[in-house]
Amino acid sequence: MRHVIDILDLSTDEIRSLIETAQDVIAHPGDYYGVCGGKKLATLFFEPSTRTRLSFEAAMYELGGNVLSVTGAGTSSASKGESVADTAKVVSCYADIIAMRHPKEGAALVAANNASIPVINAGDGGHCHPTQTLADLLTIRREKGRLGGLNVGLCGDLKFGRTVHSLINALSRYEDVRFVLISPEELKLPSYVKDNVLKPNGIPYSQTASLEEALPELDLLYMTRVQKERFFNEEDYLRLKDSYVLTPDKMKLAGPDMCVLHPLPRVNEISVSIDDDPRACYFKQVLNGKYMRMALILMLLRDAGTIR
Ligand code: CP
């Protein structure tokens, strides 16, 4: 049974194929309605979400399928102590595919090891968020016309930001990608990402605390929220939460084609006054997430033999 727990579970060819499918869905949506008729997606979200859960559900509805949903650990038998492993076995009796978000790193893998249907990781703690990365890649492809040859700034909470970890893993496969890691000292990218991904693959990167210094050289700026829910100490969160705020004045330092992405939700790190700047692509990214999730559901259900 095929699962997607980490972006590394998808080959570069598969990512290319998913992007092609998503672009075909955008061009010919009517061809896809009904492809998943009679099939069910279970969205098991043990942590809050707006985009990921609703885009998975919209994706399945637009493919003609149905949705079973758990929202919040308190509304399921997880609150009575049921394990992730048992939950995965139970849901396999009712649904054809699972998308799961959980606060604990590794929870989606446990689900995959116990389910008899495909499991998609919709975010596990501070670890991975592969379908956000698929949304990011489609957005970059559509906005920049390529996935290689990019100078990519990653800004904010690089320590707990699971979307950043997955995106670095994905973009590191393409030619001539450079990263500028922009964060306060306390929120630097974890060493394991540098040691396991950037250094062994010879990917050039630099680290700075200054967004202003980095901006003029970037093709892409990926802003992130400081992840309040991952802090042990509220004082540290309050001190760091407004480390970076992208404003119209700062945007004047960036090139005319720089693309601003953000996985959202944003708190204060992007001023709403740049939402109308043509370089602001984060709401396009939201929509692209639905198309890539449609493509992924199709791929996994076809691989499982559930649909043709
Ligand atoms: N980007 C993202 O994961 O958003 P949600 O938390 O709203 O799903």
Side-chain angles (χ1 to χ4, degrees), residues 26-297:
I26 294 165
H28 310 287
D31 291 356
Y32 290 85
Y33 191 76
V35 176
C36 289
K39 305 304 172 200
K40 283 169 278 183
L41 163 73
T43 51
L44 310 181
F45 277 60
F46 301 105
E47 202 181 49
S49 166
T50 297
R51 273 146 297 275
T52 311
R53 184 172 68 80
L54 294 184
S55 65
F56 262 116
E57 296 183 357
M60 194 55 168
Y61 284 126
E62 289 189 25
L63 292 167
N66 290 298
V67 172
L68 308 172
S69 198
V70 166
T71 52
T75 63
S76 77
S77 286
S79 64
K80 302 174 202 164
E82 187 161 53
S83 66
V84 168
D86 280 0
T87 302
K89 286 178 187 161
V90 169
V91 175
S92 297
C93 300
Y94 305 140
D96 299 287
I97 185 165
I98 293 172
M100 190 175 96
R101 172 169 291 187
H102 199 283
K104 286 201 179 136
E105 287 83 358
L109 182 60
V110 172
N113 287 340
N114 288 279
S116 54
I117 57 176
V119 174
I120 303 171
N121 182 6
D124 61 333
H127 182 221
C128 287
H129 193 349
T131 63
Q132 178 63 51
T133 305
L134 292 176
D136 301 342
L137 294 176
L138 178 60
T139 309
I140 297 167
R141 182 73 184 72
R142 293 183 81 191
E143 298 302 318
K144 304 300 292 182
R146 63 189 192 278
L147 292 172
L150 293 169
N151 208 7
V152 180
L154 302 161
C155 178
D157 185 349
L158 309 188
K159 180 178 180 185
F160 297 115
R162 58 193 174 196
T163 60
V164 166
H165 307 163
S166 289
L167 186 59
I168 289 175
N169 263 308
L171 283 177
S172 293
R173 303 172 184 198
Y174 299 94
E175 288 290 311
D176 195 22
V177 170
R178 296 163 174 273
F179 294 104
V180 184
L181 309 173
I182 309 156
S183 74
E185 185 64 31
E186 295 92 330
L187 297 178
K188 274 184 160 174
L189 190 73
S191 304
Y192 76 84
V193 182
K194 289 180 222 161
D195 294 344
N196 296 343
V197 186
L198 297 176
K199 290 177 187 168
N201 292 302
I203 312 289
Y205 70 93
S206 58
Q207 300 188 90
T208 177
S210 170
L211 175 58
E212 289 84 344
E213 272 175 29
L215 272 168
E217 56 179 298
L218 300 179
D219 298 306
L220 200 77
L221 173 63
Y222 196 90
M223 293 295 293
T224 61
R225 174 178 67 93
V226 174
Q227 308 262 308
K228 181 180 184 183
E229 63 275 31
R230 316 259 178 248
F231 275 76
F232 292 111
N233 174 340
E234 183 157 16
E235 234 174 68
D236 286 346
Y237 169 70
L238 293 174
R239 184 168 50 80
L240 294 167
K241 73 184 174 68
D242 291 327
S243 298
Y244 301 100
V245 182
L246 190 62
T247 59
D249 272 352
K250 288 189 189 130
M251 285 297 282
K252 287 180 192 154
L253 301 171
D257 299 323
M258 188 192 76
C259 179
V260 182
L261 301 184
H262 189 310
L264 304 180
R266 78 174 142 193
V267 183
N268 199 32
E269 58 280 356
I270 299 181
S271 160
V272 293
S273 50
I274 72 158
D275 288 358
D276 293 331
D277 187 313
R279 295 170 289 181
C281 298
Y282 30 90
F283 290 112
K284 294 180 185 173
Q285 202 178 346
V286 171
L287 184 57
N288 287 329
K290 182 186 71 175
Y291 297 127
M292 281 306 257
R293 289 177 178 113
M294 288 172 80
L296 184 62
I297 289 169

